[in-house]
């Protein structure tokens, strides 16, 4: 091997330079633009989710909050709106998951404490359509459903 390198050092150097140039070109023309596109999509999603939240909650925004996430796999912008309201001595907790751009609801959870334990309403729609509707039995189950859309 040493003999080969000594006799062909220039060819080895050219091959190494070509490999480095190829990696650099791939990174510059494929990886960076893709990353910049993803960042732009995330920002567009965040801006749209903020507007969606204000449209949905209006003056209730002081008792509600939201999170947004650009889901790369589904190529969709999701937002979860959470609100907690005090009514008749109980706290009503409401959570809803939306596709922001299509304005489709993917899930909803409501529960009241302390008298009522467990969900009052817990619905998930795996593709945002009424035909994909199923019920969930707990807030944890709803949160797992939401995480599958908000965590990738």
């Amino acid at each position: 091997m040493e003999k080969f390198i000594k006799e062909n050092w220039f060819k080895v150097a050219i091959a190494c330079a070509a490999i480095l140039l190829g990696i650099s070109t791939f990174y510059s023309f494929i990886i960076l633009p893709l990353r910049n596109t993803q960042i732009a999509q995330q920002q567009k999603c965040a801006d749209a989710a903020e507007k969606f939240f204000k449209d949905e909650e209006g003056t209730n925004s002081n008792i509600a909050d939201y999170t947004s996430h650009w889901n790369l796999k589904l190529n969709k912008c999701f937002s979860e709106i959470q609100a907690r309201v005090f009514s008749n001595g109980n706290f009503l907790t409401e959570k809803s998951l939306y596709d922001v751009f299509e304005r489709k609801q993917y899930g909803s959870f409501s529960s009241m404490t302390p008298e009522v334990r467990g969900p009052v309403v817990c619905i998930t729609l795996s593709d945002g359509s009424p035909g994909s509707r199923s019920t969930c039995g707990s807030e944890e189950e709803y949160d797992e459903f939401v995480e599958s859309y908000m965590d990738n």
Side-chain angles (χ1 to χ4, degrees):
M1 182 72 161
E2 281 185 47
K3 182 179 178 187
F4 175 80
I5 293 174
K6 283 183 181 181
E7 291 174 0
N8 296 296
W9 69 270
F10 187 72
K11 290 178 184 176
V12 171
I14 294 294
C16 288
I19 290 170
L20 289 174
L21 181 62
I23 291 170
S24 175
T25 301
F26 177 76
Y27 184 79
S28 297
F29 290 101
I30 305 296
I31 302 297
L32 283 180
L34 181 60
R35 180 179 162 99
N36 290 341
T37 299
Q38 290 170 353
I39 290 170
Q41 289 171 325
Q42 289 169 353
Q43 185 60 53
K44 184 178 175 183
C45 177
D47 294 343
E50 180 179 15
K51 182 182 181 325
F52 181 79
F53 173 71
K54 288 177 180 175
D55 291 348
E56 287 293 309
E57 293 301 315
T59 58
N60 294 329
S61 62
N62 61 338
I63 58 169
D65 200 7
Y66 74 99
T67 56
S68 65
H69 176 70
W70 178 256
N71 185 307
L72 288 171
K73 190 165 98 176
L74 298 175
N75 203 31
K76 291 181 180 275
C77 176
F78 289 99
S79 180
E80 183 184 32
I81 297 176
Q82 298 185 15
R84 192 162 182 174
V85 180
F86 187 73
S87 174
N88 299 326
N90 296 304
F91 279 104
L92 174 65
T93 300
E94 296 181 319
K95 299 178 181 183
S96 297
L97 178 67
Y98 295 95
D99 174 329
V100 173
F101 294 128
E102 293 182 17
R103 295 195 173 255
K104 281 186 182 178
Q105 188 173 25
Y106 273 63
S108 178
F109 174 86
S110 297
S111 71
M112 194 171 291
T113 55
E115 277 93 28
V116 180
R117 297 289 177 202
V120 173
V121 176
C122 187
I123 300 167
T124 59
L125 298 103
S126 61
D127 66 4
S129 70
S132 66
R133 179 183 172 136
S134 63
T135 58
C136 43
S138 67
E139 186 171 7
E140 291 77 20
E141 193 176 330
Y142 174 80
D143 289 342
E144 286 177 18
F145 172 80
V146 170
E147 187 176 324
S148 70
Y149 290 91
M150 301 284 282
D151 191 34
N152 62 24

